[in-house]
Amino acid sequence: MRRIGLLGGMSWESSIEYERLINQGVREQLGGTHSADLVIRSYDFAAIEALQAAGEWDAMGDLLASDARQLERSGAEVIALCTNTMHRVAGRIEQALDAAEFVHIGDATAGAVMSVGIACVGLVGTRYTMEHDFLSSRLTSNGIEVLIPDEPDRTMIHHTIYDELVRGVIDNASRRRMVEAIDALRGRGATGVIAGCTEIELLVGPDDIDAAYFPTARLHAAAIVERCLTVSASEHHGDR
């Protein structure tokens, strides 16, 4: 089993889900008392949120790239970022790594959408994720149309994430509004919906909507488990 390095705490509600899903996945695959070999860099999310609001993406890219290198120096062979939004700087992280494998949330999501043959999906997430293409481009490059909510739904979703979900607040009225926004995307032709913010999965589940549901945190965690259980080149060499 390869060691996993997680860049998390964006928010910690999301990171806890990642840790739970990854550990459960490893136990399901290996049985017994097995759990994942993890090293985690968790952040004060208030500082990250302030940088996001100020548009300081270069500074965040430098920070995450530096910390990814530290995780690699701690023995991590698989690196993952426990957030959709910060994948905007994923390229900086990948460039900073020497040998560790970076598992991109967009690749895990696109693979799941393509596996069921859906041609048009709705995407809900933070404003940064909905309005920029760092996630959607992973789908559109594979011929999948991506729809995002119209206003005022985009603003409602963004505020629900930052004012409620990252603070651990789960509100039924917000769930209804989120589902209504998703229904509007279905009315425009989406036959599936991507929960493109890991915290959205805490609010809306597959039973809440009448469409194929793609929870990015769960899909990403499954991909991370798959990669950590893939024998590395060094382990192959050691067997000889």
Side-chain angles (χ1 to χ4, degrees):
M1 178 167 42
R2 302 160 79 192
R3 180 170 294 169
I4 302 165
L6 295 180
L7 295 163
M10 296 176 276
S11 65
W12 63 260
E13 281 86 358
S14 169
S15 298
I16 286 174
E17 280 297 293
Y18 265 86
E19 292 174 51
R20 181 179 66 82
L21 292 166
I22 290 168
N23 279 303
Q24 284 181 342
V26 169
R27 184 169 60 192
E28 288 168 4
Q29 292 292 319
L30 300 183
T33 58
H34 282 289
S35 56
D37 183 348
L38 295 172
V39 287
I40 302 165
R41 170 65 168 103
S42 189
Y43 298 85
D44 175 5
F45 183 61
I48 299 295
E49 182 189 10
L51 289 170
Q52 290 175 343
E56 296 288 346
W57 297 99
D58 285 343
M60 287 182 282
D62 290 342
L63 173 65
L64 295 179
S66 175
D67 288 341
R69 285 194 295 271
Q70 288 193 28
L71 292 174
E72 191 173 32
R73 286 194 290 270
S74 297
E77 294 182 82
V78 177
I79 303 289
L81 184 55
C82 303
T83 164
N84 279 275
T85 296
M86 294 308 297
H87 273 76
R88 183 168 173 177
V89 298
R92 300 281 287 277
I93 297 170
E94 291 181 280
Q95 291 171 5
L97 298 175
D98 290 325
E101 178 181 5
F102 183 78
V103 182
H104 197 292
I105 198 168
D107 293 335
T109 303
V113 175
M114 288 188 293
S115 72
V116 294
I118 286 178
C120 180
V121 292
L123 170 63
V124 292
T126 67
R127 184 178 297 281
Y128 312 113
T129 300
M130 291 186 288
E131 295 180 355
H132 297 272
D133 70 351
F134 55 87
L135 179 61
S136 61
S137 64
R138 301 275 169 153
L139 293 109
T140 56
S141 65
N142 286 288
I144 300 164
E145 183 181 4
V146 179
L147 303 178
I148 63 171
D150 294 325
E151 290 290 9
D153 285 345
R154 284 207 302 277
T155 295
M156 177 274 295
I157 294 166
H158 185 84
H159 286 313
T160 298
I161 293 166
Y162 281 93
D163 296 343
E164 298 176 18
L165 298 179
V166 302
R167 303 172 191 224
V169 176
I170 306 297
D171 182 76
N172 286 332
S174 295
R175 179 180 292 111
R176 287 193 297 271
R177 288 192 292 269
M178 189 77 70
V179 170
E180 288 170 359
I182 290 169
D183 285 342
L185 291 169
R186 291 179 55 241
R188 291 165 52 196
T191 54
V193 61
I194 295 169
C197 172
T198 50
E199 288 86 3
I200 286 177
E201 295 172 48
L202 305 177
L203 183 68
V204 175
D207 293 336
D208 295 311
I209 60 172
D210 186 20
Y213 183 63
F214 300 98
T216 53
R218 286 182 174 274
L219 296 170
H220 196 202
I224 294 164
V225 169
E226 179 186 353
R227 299 314 304 157
C228 88
L229 296 179
T230 299
V231 179
S232 66
S234 60
E235 289 171 317
H236 275 303
H237 182 71
D239 289 340
R240 292 193 183 104

